[in-house]
Amino acid sequence: MRIRTSLTKLLNTNLPIISAPMAFASAVDLASAVTAASAFGMIGAGFSSSEELKGYFRAIRGKLNIPDYAPVPIGIGFIGWILDKTETSDDPRIKTILEEKPMAIWFAFGEDLGKYISQVRAFDAERDHKTIIFVMINSVEAAVQAANEWQVDVIVAQGIEAGGHGSSEAPPLLSLLPAVLRAVPNGPLVVAAGGISTGSQIAALLTMGAAGVVLGTRFLFTTECTYPPEKKEALIKADLNSTTRSLAFDEVGRTMGWPPKHDGRAITNKIISDMAEGLDLQERLAKFDESAALGDTSRLIVWAGVGVGLTQEITSAGDVVNELYSDLVTTLKSASGLIV
């Protein structure tokens, strides 16, 4: 089972598939399972403490049989505006995590990500292990900065279709990807993200020039995803028109702090209807808290992309990777017949 691209060479994987670093959804079990299946798993740091994150790495080493001295073949994703708080606190995260030797580190959603990239480069300059740096962008301008100013290893081009957070002004992926590839033709590797759920979509993106793909929502439909059963049930019931982009989810979830012109995509429910009815924030918070206290699932925050409607069952992460690979290969072989 192997697809060769510049990304598989960089990550030493057999498949150019990455599971997104999703806070509250992708932790030890999911990242380990994806890596074990010959793709590349990532965990989302979110608001976790340094000690909690170190525990994740210890657990991953155990699951993948990685000795203490060796790099860990997973990545960890950090949110810039959260780092702005933690790195000036008495519990900074970056140095602690770099000591654990993750193969890759991912930065997104910050107004000055460059300072954190510089920290990684400075730390690595004193040792043999070099951390692969990913940065997620939503525009051509951000891609050029990541390539030329920050000299990252991998640019993640995220389209507006993506679940979770991103720019509210991002173009659709099929427009953003070729624009980024044209803008940085000899720059970092470019991988695609946003609304990807099938192997046939991966095939299309690889033929467009992407070095690989990042899937988030598709891996929510797994036994290893840390979403509770009621959120997975909401995923299964969702269709292609079930999501909305809005800061309303963050407002009631008390996770505000995103850069300007950023919001999040989640499954539409009463959180959105409360806002549409004109309720002020205090009223919406009261309804959200009441629903949580009563076990009412009508106001769950379920981050998901537009591709949520393409999957209707929960399976193992390994089975997802195998399914994506099979579909990818079938599509690539079929496409070759178009040339006569």
Side-chain angles (χ1 to χ4, degrees):
M1 182 168 75
R2 185 163 192 159
I3 299 289
R4 294 182 180 179
T5 73
S6 52
L7 182 71
T8 62
K9 181 178 179 180
L10 178 68
L11 297 177
N12 192 30
T13 62
N14 289 340
L15 299 174
I17 296 171
I18 299 168
S19 63
M22 302 174 287
F24 312 119
S26 59
V28 172
D29 289 346
L30 180 54
S32 300
V34 172
T35 290
S38 299
F40 191 77
M42 287 202 174
I43 61 175
F47 296 93
S48 299
S49 69
S50 292
E51 194 58 38
E52 289 171 326
L53 294 174
K54 286 172 66 177
Y56 295 161
F57 276 86
R58 286 193 296 269
I60 291 170
R61 284 185 184 278
K63 284 181 174 292
L64 298 178
N65 296 314
I66 306 297
D68 290 342
Y69 61 83
V72 182
I74 61 106
I76 181 168
F78 286 102
I79 294 171
W81 67 264
I82 296 179
L83 287 176
D84 291 342
K85 300 176 185 294
T86 62
E87 300 315 284
T88 56
S89 73
D90 58 2
D91 183 27
R93 313 299 201 259
I94 292 179
K95 180 178 182 295
T96 299
I97 292 310
L98 291 175
E99 290 172 347
E100 297 296 324
K101 294 185 179 179
M103 181 175 287
I105 191 167
W106 164 309
F107 295 111
F109 312 129
E111 297 193 61
D112 184 14
L113 296 178
K115 61 185 177 184
Y116 301 123
I117 294 168
S118 295
Q119 286 184 36
V120 178
R121 297 293 193 211
F123 190 94
D124 283 355
E126 303 298 323
R127 63 177 181 178
D128 292 333
H129 175 62
K130 305 304 178 187
T131 312
I132 298 166
I133 298 178
F134 286 68
V135 165
M136 188 165 74
I137 58 87
N138 300 109
S139 69
V140 171
E141 294 77 14
V144 170
Q145 181 182 36
N148 297 339
E149 181 180 336
W150 300 335
Q151 298 183 350
V152 302
D153 301 298
V154 183
I155 291 172
V156 181
Q158 183 202 47
I160 193 73
E161 305 92 333
H165 294 86
S167 170
S168 58
E169 298 181 350
L173 179 58
L174 291 186
S175 296
L176 178 61
L177 176 62
V180 169
L181 289 170
R182 282 200 301 268
V184 290
N186 301 307
L189 305 186
V190 178
V191 301
I196 308 166
S197 291
T198 68
S200 58
Q201 290 172 310
I202 297 172
L205 293 163
L206 293 181
T207 59
M208 288 177 66
V213 295
V214 178
L215 284 73
T217 300
R218 182 65 188 88
F219 285 107
L220 297 177
F221 289 83
T222 61
T223 53
E224 294 89 351
C225 167
T226 56
Y227 268 7
E230 57 270 23
K231 289 192 177 185
K232 291 183 180 179
E233 183 64 25
L235 291 171
I236 292 170
K237 292 180 179 178
D239 60 30
L240 294 176
N241 297 306
S242 291
T243 64
T244 301
R245 294 196 73 96
S246 175
L247 281 175
F249 303 109
D250 288 289
E251 288 176 334
V252 297
R254 299 171 174 86
T255 52
M256 291 293 288
W258 303 96
K261 299 182 179 179
H262 280 66
D263 58 14
R265 184 184 294 279
I267 291 180
T268 310
N269 55 22
K270 286 187 177 180
I271 293 172
I272 297 300
S273 59
D274 289 342
M275 181 181 65
E277 291 170 10
L279 300 184
D280 64 31
L281 179 56
Q282 291 307 311
E283 292 172 314
R284 289 186 281 128
L285 283 167
K287 284 184 174 291
F288 179 79
D289 292 343
E290 180 182 19
S291 291
L294 296 174
D296 173 12
T297 60
S298 65
R299 290 184 176 86
L300 289 174
I301 299 174
V302 186
W303 304 113
V306 296
V308 67
L310 295 175
T311 308
Q312 285 80 39
E313 63 178 342
I314 306 295
T315 59
S316 72
D319 285 344
V320 170
V321 172
N322 290 335
E323 176 187 317
L324 292 171
Y325 169 75
S326 177
D327 191 16
L328 167 59
V329 170
T330 298
T331 303
L332 290 174
K333 288 181 177 179
S334 176
S336 65
L338 295 174
I339 301 174
V340 295

